[in-house]
C-alpha cells in the first residue's frame, strides 16, 4: 500500500584552420587564425522578449551542475597535463612575446551512472579545467594576450570551444586575444547554440593552444578514468550543499525524507548552513510517524561530506522528544545513506530504526539539478 505522503512526494559545427608552427615566432601582431576583431557584427535590432529568465539548468552543460560553483581553483591538482606556449604580448613601446604555461586537469563530479549530455551511461563524470600561468603576475610592463583554446576530438580538428572563468554559465566566455595581466583559470564548456558541436570533455581529446605568434602547442588529454589513487573524490561522499536539498524515498520501507539546506540564517556567521531533515515513517501500529531534526555546519575547503544530526519525534501539542541521532551522506546525486542510532528506552509506540538505510532521490529543487 502506498502511503498518502509517498503519493504526494511522487508528484552548427565550428571549424578553423590550424596555425602552422614556426621556429621563430613573429611579434608584429597576433595571429589567431580568426581574430575577434575580424568577426562581422549584424546591425542592431530590437528583440521581442521583455521578461527575465527563470531558473533552469543549462541544456548544453558539459558536467553535472552540482559539480562546482564560483570561484574556480587557482592551483591545478591531481593528474595534470601541461605545455609552454610563446604568446604575443604588448609593451608600452611595441610588442614582444611571453611564455605561458598551460595546464589541464579534471575535478571529479557525481557519477550516478545515468546517460547524460556530457557522458554515456555508466561513465564517470568530471569537470575539465585549464590554467594559464604567467611566470610573474607582478610584471606590468609586458602584458600577454590571452591564448586561443581549440579542441581536436574524433572527426573534429581545431574545433571551437567556449572558455569560461565561471562554472555553470550559459553564454559567458573569456575572449581570446585580449590582455591577460594575471594568470587565469577556465572551465571548458560547449556553446549553447542549436547545431553547435557537443564535445565530450570526459573522453580523450587534444587541446590546441594558439599563442598568436605563429606557433601552436598541443596538449593530449586522455579519457577520464578515475581510480581511488588518481581521483579519491570520485569515490567519496558528495559535499553537502543546496544540491542535496530534495525529496527522497525508500519504496521497500514506504518511507519518505525531505531534506532542506538553508543558508544565511545566522547573522554572525553568514556562511553557516543548516540541514533540516524530516522523515515520514510508520509506528508499530502502522500509523504515520514523523522523525525530525536539524544541524548546522560551516563550509570548509573540499566540502563537508557527512553530518551528524540529533533527531526528535513529535508528541502531543507539537512538542518534541529525543529519538536519538542520524548521520547523512550522499554517495552520489541519486543516493543518500542515513545511519540511524536510536536512544535506549524509547516508548513502545515509537518506531526503532537501527543501521544504515539508503534513500533514492525523487525530486530536486528547481534550478538545482544534481546529477
Amino acid at each position: 500500500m502506498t502511503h498518502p505522503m509517498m503519493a504526494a512526494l511522487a508528484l552548427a559545427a565550428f571549424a578553423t584552420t590550424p596555425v602552422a608552427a614556426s621556429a621563430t615566432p613573429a611579434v608584429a601582431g597576433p595571429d589567431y587564425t580568426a581574430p575577434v576583431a575580424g568577426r562581422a557584427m549584424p546591425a542592431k535590432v530590437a528583440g521581442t522578449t521583455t521578461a527575465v529568465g527563470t531558473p533552469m539548468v543549462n541544456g548544453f552543460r558539459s558536467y553535472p551542475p552540482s559539480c562546482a560553483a564560483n570561484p574556480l581553483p587557482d592551483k591545478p591538482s591531481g593528474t595534470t597535463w601541461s605545455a609552454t606556449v610563446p604568446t604575443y604580448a604588448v609593451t608600452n613601446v611595441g610588442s614582444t612575446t611571453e611564455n605561458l604555461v598551460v595546464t589541464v586537469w579534471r575535478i571529479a563530479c557525481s557519477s550516478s551512472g545515468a546517460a547524460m549530455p556530457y557522458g554515456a551511461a555508466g561513465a564517470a563524470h568530471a569537470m575539465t579545467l585549464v590554467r594559464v600561468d604567467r611566470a610573474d603576475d607582478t610584471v606590468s610592463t609586458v602584458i600577454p594576450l590571452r591564448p586561443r583554446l581549440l579542441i581536436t576530438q574524433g572527426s573534429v580538428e581545431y574545433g571551437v570551444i567556449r572558455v569560461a572563468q565561471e562554472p555553470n554559465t550559459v553564454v559567458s566566455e573569456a575572449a581570446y586575444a585580449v590582455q591577460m595581466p594575471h594568470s587565469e583559470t577556465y572551465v571548458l564548456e560547449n556553446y549553447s547554440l542549436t547545431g553547435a558541436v557537443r564535445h565530450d570533455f570526459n573522453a580523450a581529446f587534444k587541446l590546441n593552444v594558439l599563442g598568436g605568434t605563429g606557433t601552436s602547442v598541443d596538449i593530449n588529454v586522455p579519457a577520464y578514468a578515475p581510480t581511488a589513487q588518481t581521483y579519491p573524490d570520485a569515490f567519496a561522499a558528495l559535499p553537502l550543499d543546496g544540491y542535496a536539498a530534495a525529496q527522497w524515498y525508500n519504496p521497500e520501507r514506504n518511507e519518505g525524507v525531505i531534506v532542506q539546506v538553508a543558508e544565511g540564517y545566522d547573522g554572525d556567521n553568514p556562511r553557516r548552513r543548516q540541514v533540516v531533515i524530516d522523515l515520514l515513517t510508520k509506528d508499530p501500529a502502522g500509523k504515520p510517524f514523523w522523525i525530525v531534526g536539524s544541524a548546522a555546519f560551516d563550509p570548509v575547503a573540499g566540502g563537508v561530506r557527512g553530518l551528524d544530526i540529533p533527531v526528535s519525534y513529535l508528541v502531543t501539542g507539537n512538542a518534541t522528544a529525543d529519538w536519538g541521532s542520524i548521520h547523512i551522506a550522499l554517495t552520489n546525486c541519486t543516493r543518500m545513506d542515513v545511519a540511524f542510532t536510536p536512544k535506549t528506552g524509547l516508548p513502545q509506540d515509537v518506531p526503532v530504526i537501527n543501521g544504515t538505510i539508503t534513500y533514492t532521490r525523487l525530486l530536486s529543487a528547481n534550478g538545482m539539478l544534481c546529477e
Side-chain angles (χ1 to χ4, degrees):
M1 179 181 71
T2 300
H3 192 278
M5 175 56 71
M6 291 308 298
L9 287 175
L11 295 176
F14 299 94
T16 59
T17 303
V19 171
S22 171
T24 306
V27 295
D31 175 10
Y32 289 91
T33 73
V36 172
R39 296 177 181 172
M41 299 298 292
K44 173 64 179 171
V45 294
T48 59
T49 302
T50 58
V52 298
T54 186
M56 292 293 291
V57 176
N58 176 14
F60 294 83
R61 57 194 179 278
S62 303
Y63 45 83
S66 53
C67 187
N70 191 60
L72 293 173
D74 57 9
K75 181 179 180 180
S77 60
T79 305
T80 62
W81 304 269
S82 62
T84 300
V85 59
T87 58
Y88 183 81
V90 295
T91 71
N92 293 332
V93 295
S95 62
T96 183
T97 61
E98 179 175 323
N99 287 334
L100 299 178
V101 176
V102 180
T103 304
V104 182
W105 77 105
R106 291 186 173 109
I107 290 179
C109 302
S110 171
S111 301
S112 59
M116 296 296 173
Y118 42 78
H125 303 142
M127 170 185 284
T128 303
L129 303 179
V130 177
R131 178 76 178 173
V132 178
D133 279 306
R134 300 187 64 192
D136 188 348
D137 277 1
T138 65
V139 175
S140 59
T141 54
V142 176
I143 305 295
L145 299 191
R146 186 181 289 144
R148 189 176 191 189
L149 305 181
L150 302 173
I151 188 173
T152 294
Q153 185 179 62
S155 61
V156 177
E157 293 186 351
Y158 289 81
V160 177
I161 50 178
R162 184 164 65 90
V163 178
Q165 291 180 277
E166 184 174 0
N168 286 324
T169 56
V170 179
V171 297
S172 67
E173 183 175 6
Y176 62 91
V178 298
Q179 290 188 358
M180 193 194 80
H182 306 290
S183 303
E184 297 176 339
T185 301
Y186 319 113
V187 57
L188 300 187
E189 306 271 10
N190 285 308
Y191 279 98
S192 55
L193 300 171
T194 301
V197 175
R198 297 291 298 272
H199 302 289
D200 181 1
F201 298 110
N202 289 309
F205 68 92
K206 183 184 297 182
L207 185 71
N208 314 117
V209 186
L210 287 68
T213 62
T215 298
S216 66
V217 298
D218 295 333
I219 301 176
N220 290 293
V221 182
Y224 177 60
T227 67
Q229 291 71 38
T230 57
Y231 295 93
D233 283 350
F235 303 89
L238 300 184
L240 292 174
D241 54 28
Y243 289 97
Q247 292 171 314
W248 305 78
Y249 79 111
N250 181 297
E252 289 78 17
R253 297 178 58 85
N254 197 26
E255 290 179 346
V257 179
I258 299 175
V259 176
Q260 302 177 67
V261 182
E263 68 174 56
Y265 73 96
D266 187 339
D268 295 331
N269 300 279
R271 287 173 50 83
R272 182 163 293 170
R273 297 172 184 169
Q274 184 173 28
V275 174
V276 180
I277 189 165
D278 299 88
L279 167 67
L280 178 56
T281 185
K282 295 175 292 186
D283 67 11
K287 296 180 180 180
F289 193 92
W290 286 98
I291 296 177
V292 300
S294 66
F297 67 92
D298 294 316
V300 297
V304 173
R305 299 175 182 266
L307 188 65
D308 293 317
I309 303 176
V311 291
S312 305
Y313 60 94
L314 302 179
V315 294
T316 305
N318 285 328
T320 59
D322 179 24
W323 184 91
S325 65
I326 61 173
H327 179 86
I328 65 170
L330 272 67
T331 304
N332 56 47
C333 282
T334 62
R335 170 177 167 166
M336 178 177 67
D337 290 338
V338 182
F340 292 86
T341 306
K343 64 176 294 185
T344 57
L346 288 171
Q348 291 185 350
D349 60 346
V350 174
V352 176
I353 308 173
N354 283 291
T356 299
I357 298 174
T358 296
Y359 297 87
T360 301
R361 182 185 294 266
L362 185 62
L363 296 173
S364 296
N366 169 229
M368 299 290 287
L369 181 62
C370 188
E371 294 173 338

